[in-house]
Structure formats: C-alpha cells, structure tokens
Amino acid sequence: MQPPATPHPAVAPHAFSSRNFLKLIEDTGKVGFWSSDLRSERLTASPGLYRILGIDPATEMTFGFGLDMIHPDDQAAHRDQIAVLRSGQAISREFRIVRPDRTQRWILHHAEAILGPDGVPCQGMGVVFDVTAQHDAMRALLQRHDRLTALIAATASVFWVNKANGEPSEMPQWMALTGQSHAEMQGLGWLDAVHPEDRPRTLAAWTTAIEHTAPYNTDYRVLCADGIYRWFNARGAPVLNRDGSVREWVGVCLNVPGRTRYGAPPPETPAAVPSAAPAADALVTPAQIRAARGMAGLSKEDLAKLAEVSISTVNRLEDSGSAVRPRPDTVLAVRRALEKAGIVFTFEPGVKPGIREA
C-alpha cells in the first residue's frame, strides 16, 4: 500500500514580490527608482536609474552627484528638490540632465518624504522617468507647425478648417478678412461675404467636393471688411480617417491679382488721391455723406448696394467719431454712387464742404 501523496503547497498570490514587478517595469529602460535616509547624503538607486543617468552601477550615488547632473539652464529652478523633500513636501519636476558622455536627457522626477514617529521627514523615495522621446516628438510637431504657419503666412490670405460635414469650424482669418462674426459664417453664412454673382458657382463647387470627398478649387470675389470686393482662389481637401471617412476639411484662400480664369477683372481701384486733390476727387466728409444720403432718399442698405460696399462701411463713413477710417478708394466709391443719385458735392474756399442737387 502506497503512502498518501504529499500535497503540493498552494502558490500564494503574493509569491511574486514587488521586486519582480519593479524589474519588469525597469527593463523598459525608461524608469528608475531610488530611496534614501533624508538625514544622509547617500541614496540607493535601482539599475534602471543608473541606466537613465548613464553612469556605472558601481558608482556611489549621492544627492549632490544627482543634482550636479541637472542642466545648467535648469539648475536655478530645480536644484532645490532635496531641500523641498527634507521639508516634508512632495515634488514633481521635469527638467534636463547632462550625462557623463555629454548627452542630454529629459527626465520627470516624482518623489515624496516619509515622516518618522516624531513627525520629521526621515525617509525619501522617488521614481524617475526618461521622457526624452516625448519631448523630441513634441519639438518635431511644433517645428512642423511653425513651418506650416510660416508657409501659410507667406502664400495665403486665409487658412480655414471645416467640420466633416463642411460647416465652418476654425476660420479666424476669414473673420478678420470679411468682418463676419463666428455666428454669421455658420452653416452657409460665409457665402454672404461672397459676391452675389459668384455664390451659385461657389456653392456648387463646394457641394460637389463634399458629396464626392474630392479636392475643392474655385475662384470668387469676397467682400472684405474695408467694403471692397477682391478676387480669391479658394482650394481645400478632405482629411481622412483610417477607415476613409472624412475627419475634417482644410484649405486656403489665395489672393488673385489681375483677371481670374473666369475672365472677369477685379473691381478697378481709383488712383491714389493727392493731398491737394481737386474738388472732383476730394474725399467727402461724414456730414456730407449723411446729408447726401438723406437728400437722395437712400437707405444705408441702398447706398451700400450702389457703391458695392458693406453696410458697416457706410456706418463708419457717416460716423465722424469712428476710429476706423475706410480707405480713400472706398470713400470715392461711395461719393461716385451718391453723385449718380443726383448729388453734387461742393468744396468752396473758406466755406464748409456742402452738397446740392444736380
């Protein structure tokens, strides 16, 4: 008869010590640990910490040795770390170190103090992460962003970002160009700043691009904040997710000098008005514009339409206290519209500028 088999002892859930887990973590090469009696200068460092610091594991580690490795430009802000710990406060710092081989690394240091029975900090422990890769990736990302920003500034008047469904998202430069508010350009509101003759074609081109997830490219006239229509070439493309769906749309509006490919010239800009301009080209005053509009029986909307400027431009022209003055060619455009409506502007020496019927 065989003796009963001796049962194997059950493996305790805690058979794997915390050392096993720490070693597993440290083997990534990106983390290290330390502990110390805060009343001394020596500290015990893990192999991972020696690896991050780039020093021989046989080297005796002290607080002073570690603090001396901080980059000179970061010394002033971060050399107080051990003093802060000895005061009982935890620390969380990100800074550069210079290793013995003169290479630089970015590290993230978390540490805290443990109080003794007398309430005085006596032990310290910390964890150090090598975050150099994250900093390199962020620096490369910022560099690409700066390059794109510089390129846009050199070539485009407007950089725009639209949602996947084509509705405006980020268009601060469009708002600055047209004077539209964020609410005014929502949906198809941005088309209100496009010349009425160009809206159907512009909307058709944009709708086609959205429906077919295709690049967008068209020309149109934009009513700028100064009340002048100018030609722009708008082009954009969809940014796709990995599954082929549209994440967003990005594009630019480029200023188009001269004639467009549709054969229509941009509005003519009157020649610069000399300081001693003759009466026929003199710039009218806000009071003259207000009086002339009243004599002609025109509303602000009527005058804006006749002069091909915005209503806000008419408001600024009639407000003598406005800090924003339209350009001389804009003022002349309004004057010409009022003259066509039967108004004569008078500029007689020694007399305030006035108006009369033609």
Side-chain angles (χ1 to χ4, degrees):
M1 183 175 181
Q2 294 181 344
T6 303
H8 293 286
V11 178
H14 55 276
F16 294 99
S17 70
S18 58
R19 288 182 177 275
N20 298 109
F21 290 107
L22 293 180
K23 182 178 183 304
L24 179 64
I25 295 172
E26 283 203 336
D27 284 346
T28 64
K30 303 297 183 182
V31 63
F33 304 90
W34 67 266
S35 61
S36 173
D37 182 340
L38 292 177
R39 294 164 294 191
S40 71
E41 282 296 315
R42 296 183 57 184
L43 58 89
T44 301
S46 69
L49 182 55
Y50 278 107
R51 196 159 45 237
I52 291 174
L53 299 180
I55 57 179
D56 189 331
T59 304
E60 182 180 76
M61 280 294 296
T62 65
F63 288 129
F65 185 88
L67 294 176
D68 287 341
M69 294 184 69
I70 297 176
H71 191 284
D73 292 344
D74 297 340
Q75 282 278 346
H78 298 289
R79 194 174 178 84
D80 65 339
Q81 294 179 70
I82 304 307
V84 171
L85 274 178
R86 285 172 172 160
S87 72
Q89 301 178 59
I91 59 172
S92 180
R93 306 283 186 88
E94 194 167 312
F95 52 92
R96 292 165 293 177
I97 60 169
V98 180
R99 305 200 294 189
D101 62 0
R102 309 312 299 169
T103 59
Q104 296 183 21
R105 309 296 292 180
W106 276 95
I107 65 172
L108 174 62
H109 182 207
H110 295 297
E112 61 180 38
I114 301 173
L115 304 182
D118 55 0
V120 177
C122 62
Q123 296 289 324
M125 61 176 59
V127 57
V128 175
F129 299 93
D130 186 334
V131 293
T132 305
Q134 292 92 313
H135 271 268
D136 289 345
M138 180 59 68
R139 185 172 63 251
L141 180 63
L142 292 175
Q143 187 178 55
R144 288 196 295 271
H145 178 270
D146 291 342
R147 288 171 178 167
L148 177 61
T149 300
L151 180 61
I152 291 171
T155 60
S157 297
V158 173
F159 174 73
W160 50 265
V161 179
N162 282 13
K163 301 174 185 176
N165 62 2
E167 292 191 1
S169 176
E170 300 176 26
M171 298 176 64
Q173 292 169 321
W174 176 268
M175 293 164 61
L177 176 69
T178 64
Q180 284 188 308
S181 66
H182 186 268
E184 289 173 336
M185 71 178 186
Q186 290 306 300
L188 294 176
W190 59 274
L191 276 172
D192 293 340
V194 175
H195 195 286
E197 295 177 0
D198 303 334
R199 288 175 193 168
R201 172 173 46 76
T202 300
L203 179 58
W206 180 234
T207 302
T208 300
I210 297 294
E211 292 178 348
H212 296 277
T213 315
Y216 166 68
N217 189 353
T218 191
D219 287 1
Y220 50 70
R221 285 165 287 183
V222 174
L223 180 59
C224 300
D226 61 4
I228 298 296
Y229 279 103
R230 294 182 176 84
W231 280 99
F232 287 86
N233 170 237
R235 57 182 65 194
V239 179
L240 305 180
N241 295 309
R242 291 189 177 183
D243 62 1
S245 61
V246 178
R247 182 192 314 160
E248 60 185 7
W249 290 79
V250 296
V252 295
C253 293
L254 307 170
N255 190 284
V256 181
R259 292 179 177 269
T260 72
R261 61 171 178 264
Y262 297 106
E268 294 183 0
T269 302
V273 180
S275 56
D281 292 325
L283 298 183
V284 292
T285 66
Q288 283 179 296
I289 295 176
R290 289 195 301 269
R293 185 170 60 79
M295 180 177 290
L298 298 174
S299 67
K300 292 182 179 179
E301 291 79 3
D302 294 334
L303 179 55
K305 185 175 181 180
L306 289 172
E308 290 192 342
V309 300
S310 65
I311 297 175
S312 61
T313 297
V314 175
N315 287 330
R316 288 194 293 269
L317 283 172
E318 293 190 357
D319 181 8
S320 57
S322 175
V324 180
R325 303 308 302 166
R327 301 187 328 182
D329 55 355
T330 303
V331 180
L332 285 174
V334 172
R335 175 179 174 174
R336 298 292 182 252
L338 288 167
E339 288 174 336
K340 289 181 180 179
I343 303 298
V344 174
F345 293 91
T346 61
F347 302 89
E348 299 176 6
V351 179
K352 288 184 178 181
I355 63 169
R356 62 177 175 82
E357 292 184 343

